[in-house]
Amino acid sequence: MKEIKFQNVWKSYGKTQVVKGLNLTIKEGERLILLGPSGCGKSTTLRMIAGLEDITSGDLYMNGRRVNDIPSGKRDVAMVFQNYALYPHMNVIDNITYGLKVQKVPKEEIKARLGSALEMLQLKGYEERLPKDLSGGQRQRVALARAVVKKCDFFLLDEPLSNLDAQLRVSARKELVKIHDMYKQTIVYVTHDQIEAMTVGDRIALMNQGHLQMLDTPENVYHRPANIFTAKFIGSPPTNIVDMIYQNGKVVIGKQIFQLNPMWINQIKKHNTTELVFGIRPEHIEIFNSPQENTLKGTVKYIENQGSSYGVYIELEGNELIAMSENKKWGPGQEVYVRLMINHIHIFDKETTNSIGYPKELDQ
Ligand code: ADP
Ligand code: MG
């Protein structure tokens, strides 16, 4: 099994704990995204898989064998680094094939692998160039090609697209998924960019401060966030988070009341506390000019043009809510009435910050 398994893995540098009790199984052949803010421990986690960092405690298994003490060269990994790490004095061909020559792969085999990698990554015509004579996107493709030709079971990528401009990133993401469809390696892909995580990942492992926050499909990470951190990290603008009190089927936010439906009332009743936190994504709030059934009153503070829509910042009982609107008919100072789409709300325990779960009626 080309799977990777972390069992209660800790990593410290001196007294600083960087990865804290990681339990994570990466399945054979999947594209697993390690996502999280800068400094949360993603690269360290990836480098432990690559065998470039010691494991402080716990066990790491790859292909079913414990690899804590197995050197990098014997783990069957290919890695693409954030800065590409190409050899500046070698041309494209030599950069791609150097590792294979060192491994004494037969010449014919090297030629075949090189040919298909050049084709796949659209590097034909650039074979003789040095890295300094390539664009950022081309260098990135050389780095990918160099990793691809190794034909390893495990393909590790550390923010491989972060140096590319937005357009190139979109095409590089597609190329990467294509490569994976061909080779079916187990991919571990580090990024801080949630869009990249959503588009490339079969599953996302979201980390914060060395802790795994959630491990699930992109759909579930978006629609069923396990905790407040996940709800806020995924989506742009982020999920609105509002303190609430639950009373007899109603949500009390400041002086206003919002009626819950029976499925949510049952869900809250299963939980032991009424001190809850309410989450709603900006795209799941409707704005009206006048009071409607089950709306809350707020005041527009600011409008942000986001191209395809407008972000409307609304003050509501001391909270700032962001709602998305397709038009610009709201202006600062205006009184508005908002409705929170009941099938898209999230409720968290205030103390643990964990989700109280979702009514089963919401599962299709
Ligand atoms: P990420 O890739 O998520 O941005 P890293 O895994 O690179 O984060 O780093 C996690 C934390 O570990 C950071 O706070 C970083 O400063 C620290 N760190 C990384 N490498 C070292 C090191 N060699 N010595 C001390 N601290 C380190
Ligand atoms: Mg990093």
Side-chain angles (χ1 to χ4, degrees):
M1 286 285 278
K2 297 171 196 169
E3 72 171 30
I4 301 168
K5 190 170 181 180
F6 286 87
Q7 246 174 17
N8 195 22
V9 167
W10 294 74
K11 172 70 185 175
S12 314
Y13 294 107
K15 281 187 183 152
T16 314
Q17 293 176 332
V18 172
V19 174
K20 302 168 187 169
L22 181 62
N23 288 300
L24 168 65
T25 301
I26 300 164
K27 297 181 206 163
E28 173 170 337
E30 79 169 325
R31 296 191 295 269
L32 188 281
I33 312 292
L34 282 176
L35 176 68
S38 181
C40 73
K42 306 180 294 294
S43 295
T44 306
T45 302
L46 194 74
R47 291 169 61 83
M48 286 194 284
I49 301 172
L52 302 172
E53 297 286 350
D54 291 337
I55 290 165
T56 308
S57 74
D59 301 300
L60 176 63
Y61 296 90
M62 293 169 73
N63 251 336
R65 85 181 157 156
R66 187 174 179 274
V67 295
N68 290 46
D69 304 313
I70 306 284
S72 182
K74 295 198 170 144
R75 293 192 187 188
D76 204 19
V77 294
M79 183 152 169
V80 179
F81 296 89
Q82 186 168 5
N83 60 6
Y84 314 148
L86 298 177
Y87 302 110
H89 58 285
M90 288 187 194
N91 68 17
V92 167
I93 293 183
D94 293 337
N95 258 295
I96 296 174
T97 56
Y98 177 73
L100 301 180
K101 288 179 190 156
V102 171
Q103 284 176 31
K104 304 218 173 4
V105 175
K107 270 203 175 115
E108 282 308 301
E109 175 69 20
I110 293 182
K111 208 174 146 192
R113 289 193 204 176
L114 173 68
S116 86
L118 290 173
E119 183 91 33
M120 180 93 224
L121 291 155
Q122 296 166 28
L123 286 166
K124 289 214 153 156
Y126 301 96
E127 291 90 335
E128 308 292 335
R129 291 215 197 164
L130 292 175
K132 72 176 171 60
D133 300 322
L134 296 170
S135 71
Q138 290 160 344
R139 277 181 225 157
Q140 185 258 343
R141 297 209 294 270
V142 175
L144 278 173
R146 183 175 58 182
V148 162
V149 294
K150 286 175 79 182
K151 288 203 169 171
C152 292
D153 287 346
F154 302 102
F155 200 22
L156 312 178
L157 301 111
D158 194 350
E159 312 237 9
L161 312 184
S162 59
N163 294 338
L164 305 185
D165 63 47
Q167 267 181 347
L168 253 176
R169 243 185 231 210
V170 173
S171 61
R173 284 197 311 242
K174 276 199 304 209
E175 262 164 39
L176 217 130
V177 172
K178 264 198 283 180
I179 294 172
H180 181 248
D181 286 342
M182 262 176 84
Y183 294 99
K184 297 276 183 235
Q185 318 95 319
T186 303
I187 290 190
V188 189
Y189 184 110
V190 164
T191 182
H192 65 272
D193 177 355
Q194 47 155 326
I195 305 289
E196 226 165 272
M198 289 280 166
T199 50
V200 176
D202 293 316
R203 290 195 304 162
I204 296 173
L206 180 63
M207 293 179 73
N208 188 37
Q209 298 185 344
H211 289 287
L212 181 63
Q213 298 286 322
M214 185 168 183
L215 168 68
D216 212 324
T217 59
E219 288 78 10
N220 283 344
V221 166
Y222 179 86
H223 290 289
R224 299 283 184 270
N227 48 41
I228 293 177
F229 177 82
T230 306
K232 283 172 93 165
F233 192 83
I234 304 285
S236 175
T239 301
N240 297 292
I241 299 290
V242 177
D243 276 353
M244 65 176 244
I245 292 178
Y246 173 76
Q247 271 173 6
N248 306 324
K250 296 180 179 70
V251 169
V252 182
I253 299 174
K255 292 195 197 74
Q256 300 191 56
I257 284 171
F258 171 70
Q259 179 70 49
L260 281 173
N261 57 7
M263 66 176 179
W264 275 112
I265 294 172
N266 288 335
Q267 191 67 29
I268 290 175
K269 279 186 181 158
K270 286 190 217 160
H271 211 74
N272 261 336
T273 172
T274 51
E275 297 260 319
L276 300 164
V277 175
F278 192 85
I280 183 93
R281 293 193 181 279
E283 52 271 41
H284 297 144
I285 300 180
E286 296 171 280
I287 315 174
F288 301 96
N289 275 321
S290 56
Q292 311 281 318
E293 195 189 337
N294 217 14
T295 52
L296 299 164
K297 188 168 97 174
T299 308
V300 175
K301 288 286 161 197
Y302 179 67
I303 309 277
E304 188 177 67
N305 187 351
Q306 300 206 341
S308 63
S309 54
Y310 296 89
V312 184
Y313 290 68
I314 298 165
E315 203 270 341
L316 195 155
E317 299 291 328
N319 299 285
E320 183 183 77
L321 288 189
I322 309 174
M324 297 312 290
S325 169
E326 278 179 7
N327 54 53
K328 206 182 170 181
K329 63 184 174 189
W330 328 102
Q334 192 178 346
E335 218 164 67
V336 287
Y337 296 82
V338 298
R339 181 183 288 145
L340 316 173
M341 297 183 192
I342 201 77
N343 286 350
H344 292 282
I345 63 173
H346 310 273
I347 299 180
F348 305 97
D349 183 308
K350 187 170 181 178
E351 197 182 319
T352 64
T353 80
N354 290 331
S355 168
I356 66 160
Y358 291 83
K360 62 180 182 316
E361 288 86 343
L362 289 176
D363 300 331
Q364 284 93 3

